[in-house]
Amino acid sequence: MRVVRFLLVAGSLLTLPAAALAQAVIAGSIKDTSGAVLPGVTVEASSPALIEKVRTAVSDGNGLYRIEDLRPGAYTVTFTLPGFATLKREGIQLTGTVTAAVDADMRVGGLEETVTVTGESPIVDVQSAKHETTLNNDVLKSIPTVRSYNAMVVVVPGVVTNLNDTVTGTSTTQFPIHGGRNNEGRMTIDGLNVGNPPGGNQPPAYVADVGNAEEVTFSTSGGLGENETGGLTMNVVPKTGGNRMSGSVFFSGTNESLMSENFDNIVGLSAPTPFKKIYDLNGSFGGPIKQDKIWYFINARTQGSKRINANQFYNLNAGKADQWLYAADLSRPGFSDRTWENVSGRITWQANPKNKISGFWDEQATCRACEGQTSGITDAARLSPEAGSVGATKPLRVMQASWSSPLTNRLLLDAGFGGVYYGWGSFERDPNPTHDLTRVTEQCAAGCAANGGIAGLVYRAQDFNVNNTGSFGWKGNASYVTGSHSMKFGYQGTWMVDKRSWMTNSTELSYRVTNGVPNQLTQTLTPFQNDGYAGWHAAFWQEQYTRGRLSLQGAVRYDHATSWFPEQTLGPSKYFPNRITFPETKGVDAYNDITPRLGVAYDLFGNGRTALKASAGRYLEGVGVSTNYANANPTLRIPTTLGPFGVQGVTRTWTDANSNFLPDCDLNNLQTQDLRGAGGDFCGIVSNTRWGQNVLTNNYDPDLLKGWGVRPSDWDYSVAIQQQVLRRLSVEVSYNRRAFRGFTVQDNTLAAVADYTPYSIQAPSDPRLPGGGGYTVSGLFDVVPSLAGQILNTVTDSSKYGDTSQVFNGLDVTVNARQGGVTFQGGTSTGQTTSDFCDVRANLPELVQAIGAGLQTSNVSTTSPYCHVASGFLTQFRGLVSYVIPKIDVQVSSVFQSKPGPALLANYVVTPTTPGVTLGRPFTGVPNVTVNLIEPGTLYGNRINQLDLRIAKLFRFGGTKTFVGVDLYNTLNDDAILTYNNAFVPGGTWLQPLTVVTARMIRISAELTF
C-alpha cells in the first residue's frame, strides 16, 4: 500500500500524469558452452527506434535477463562478460507486446573478440498468455483499406462491428469481440486511450493516423492489471521521427465512373449506393531537431466522400405546412457527404540518459461544411432528407504527454496524460425550413402505399442536438525487472464530461401515422438538457515469473468508479408547464471492485516453437457517461417514456376524427378525452400521467449505485496452443469463454404480476414465415386498463428477481506467416452466445431487456417473449495477404472477410381485433402493438463476403520509394444485403432489401516516401 500511496502522490505532482501501455520485451537465458548459466552478463538492446539508442540489463543468478518497454523496430542484442567473447544477435524484429526470446551461448575469449549472429525474430511467444495480432507499417501501407481505425479492426477474427459495408472513411465504430458488450472496445494512441464518454469510452470518430504508424496491435484476450475491460484493445504506435529527415505524401481517390453496379438482380432495391467521389490526401515528415536529443513528426490530412443514399429520396412535400404525406421525388436521391481534416505534431525529447519526454497534439474537424444527410448511431433507420440533420464534430482535439525513466537496469518509471475533447451532434440546418413543422413517423402497420410505402420512415421535420464531451486520463507505473522476475505497480485515472442539449420543432409534437392516418402523438420537452460527469481510479499490481519452460503471470486490480450531475433546469415549455431545477446530484457513488487475472505459458518442448497458454480473469464494464453512470441523472428519471438520446416526452393514442392533422384536444389534460361528438378528436391517456410534475418515476435502488462487486463484469477464460509450423509460420488454436453478469431491470412498483394480462397471437399464414406461418406466439402481456399511464419504477439488479445467464463459447484459429515473401495474417472464429432471462421474466412480466452478444442482441419485453436465446454457432473468416513479386517489384495484396448476415425479424403490427389475438379487450394506452414473429437466433440474412485487392508497382530512385496502385474494393462485386425491411405485412414487402454492400469500386492510390 505504501507503493500505491507513493504513486498516487507522485501522479498528482507530475505535470505529465499518464503511462504508455506495455510494449515489447526482449528476454532470454545466457549459458556457456558447457551449458552452465552465466550471471552478471551485460546485455544491451540497441535500435534506431530508440532515441536513447540503447537499453541495458544484467543477467541474474539463474543466467536470465529481461529488457521491457521497447518500441517496435529492428534490434541488435549484445552480450558482454569479462573472459568471454562478445556476442551480437542482429535482426531481432519487435512488434506489439511480444516477448522475444533471445538466448545466448557464450564461449571463452577476449572482450575484443566479437561473434556476430544474424538471427530471426521468434514467432511463438512462449512467455506470455496474452493473445494479440500486430500489423507493422509495411503491412499497413500495403493493404487495400482506408487508413482509419475502423477499417483495420475488420481483419481481426472474432470481432463484430456495427458497420458492415466497405469502409471509406472514419466513423464511430463499435467492435466487441467474443460475445462482448458494445462499449468494451478501446483504441489507444501509444497506450493512451482516446475515448467517447457517451459510448462507454469506446472510440469516437477520431481519424487515427494508422498509415504513419510504426505498427497497430490488437490485443484480444489475456490482459493483466492494465486492462479495465475484457474487450479488444487496438493500440496505434505512432512514428516519432528519427535522426534523419524522412516523410511521405499519399493520395487516394475515386469517382462514380470507376464504380460498377450490383443491384440489378435484387428485387425491391429502388436505388443503388454509388459514390460520387472519395479522396484522401496526406502529407507527413519528421526528423531531428537535434541528433539523438529531440525528434519531431508532423502530419496533415484531408479526406472526403459523397455518395447516394440507398432507397432515400427527397420529399416533394418538404417544407410545406399544409402537406402531411411523404411523396418521393425519384429524380432527387438523398446523399451523404463527409469531410475529415486534421493536423498533428509530436515531439520526443531525450532530456538526459535517464529521462525521456514526449508530447502530441492532434486538431481535427469533421464536416465543417457538409450538406447531405448522414445517419448516426442515434438517428432513425429511415429518414427523409428534410428530417435529417448534419452530423459533425467541431472540433475534435487529442492531446498527450508522457515521461519515462529507466532509473537503473532494473527499475523503470513512466507517467503520462492523454485527453480528447470534442463537440458533437446532429446540428440544425441553417436555414431550417422545417423548424415550425411537426415531425412524422410512418408506422406502416398494414401497408402504407398512400404514404410512400416505407415502413418506419421519419419525415417532415428535424430533431437536432448540440453536445460537448471529453475524456481525460492519466497513469503512472513503476516496473522492477530481473531476468526471471518482473513486477509492475500502477495507478490509472480518468475524468469524463458529457453535456447534451436536445431540441425539436417549435410545435413540440411529433406524430405517428399508419398509411398517412394519425394513430399516436408524442408531447415533448424542448430544449432538453442532460449533463453528466463520470470518473474512475484504479491501482494494480502485476507480476511475471519464469522458471525453466514455465512462465506464470498474475495481477490484482482495484477500481473505484463514480458519476455525478451538475445543477440542471428543465422547462417551462408548451407541454411541460413547470420550471424544475435539480441541484447537483450524485449518481454512482461508488463502485468498488477487486479483479484478479491469471495467466500461464509453457514452452512445451523447450525449443521455443510450441507454447501452451491459459488465462482467466474478471474484467469490468467500461466507465462512461452512459448506462447507470448517466441514467441515474435526475433529468433522465422524470416522468417520461422516451429514451436518453433525444428530447424527452410522453405518447398518447390519437384519433384525428376531423382529419385536419391537429390534435383537437387539451394536450395539457393528461387523461383520456373523447371530443369527437363536439367536432374534436379522441386523445388517449398519456403514457406517464405524472408528466410535467416535479417527481421522479425512475427511482434507483441504492444498492445498485454503490458497493463492492456491484459493477457489471465478465469472467473471461482462454486456453490455447501456438505452434511454429515452418520457419516463419505459426498457427494458434484457442478456446474462449466469457460469462457476463450485472444486468439492470425496471420494476413498475404500482403493478403486481397479476396486473399483467397474458395473451397470445397467431402468426398469419405466409410461406415466407417458418413452417408457412399459422403458429402461435404466446407469453405476451398487457397491463390492466386501470393502470394506464401509472408508472413508478424501481431500477435495480436483475438478481433480485431471479437467475440470469449470458455466456459465450467459441473457437478461434489464427495464422501468422511471413514465408517466401508472402505475408498472411488472419483466421476464423466460431462462437455462440446463449442468454437466459426467463426466471426474471416470470417474476417481472414488464421486463424490458436487450439480451445476447453486443451487436447481435434481441429484446425481451411485454410484446417480445423470447427470454431464452441461443444465437447458433456463427462462423466468420477474416484476414489479409501481401506479396511482392521479385524482380518486377509488383505488389499484390488483399483483405478478405466473410461473416454472417444480420439477424432477421418479422415485426407484425396487431390490434385487438386482428385474427388470433386472444386478449379480448383493447390494448392499454396504445392503439396497437408490434410483435416479432421470428424467434431470435433462428433466421439470418445471407452471408456478407468481401474481397478487396490491390495491385501496385513499386519504384525506387535513390533515397525515395514510390508506389502507384489500383485498389479494387469488393473485387467479386458481391451483392450481399446489409439491411432488410423487417416490417411484416402479410403478402407485403417483408425482407425487401434496403441496402447492399457497395459495388465493385476502383480506387487509385499513390505514395512517395523519402
Side-chain angles (χ1 to χ4, degrees), residues 263-279:
F263 66 98
D264 290 343
N265 297 323
I266 300 179
V267 177
L269 189 64
S270 56
T273 55
F275 280 92
K276 295 291 186 180
K277 63 180 179 180
I278 302 174
Y279 64 90

Side-chain angles (χ1 to χ4, degrees), residues 78-159:
T78 304
F79 305 87
T80 57
L81 181 68
F84 289 82
T86 299
L87 176 65
K88 284 189 177 182
R89 290 283 304 275
E90 297 180 337
I92 307 301
Q93 190 72 37
L94 294 186
T95 62
T97 62
V98 67
T99 299
V102 181
D103 299 330
D105 292 323
M106 302 183 69
R107 63 178 176 82
V108 175
L111 282 174
E112 68 282 356
E113 181 182 357
T114 300
V115 179
T116 301
V117 179
T118 301
E120 292 188 347
S121 303
I123 62 171
V124 174
D125 189 345
V126 296
Q127 293 191 21
S128 175
K130 193 173 186 177
H131 300 272
E132 68 178 26
T133 298
T134 299
L135 308 180
N136 64 27
N137 183 258
D138 289 340
V139 173
L140 292 170
K141 289 191 172 186
S142 71
I143 56 179
T145 61
V146 174
R147 295 180 174 186
S148 65
Y149 82 87
N150 49 313
M152 296 298 166
V153 295
V154 301
V155 305
V156 182
V159 77

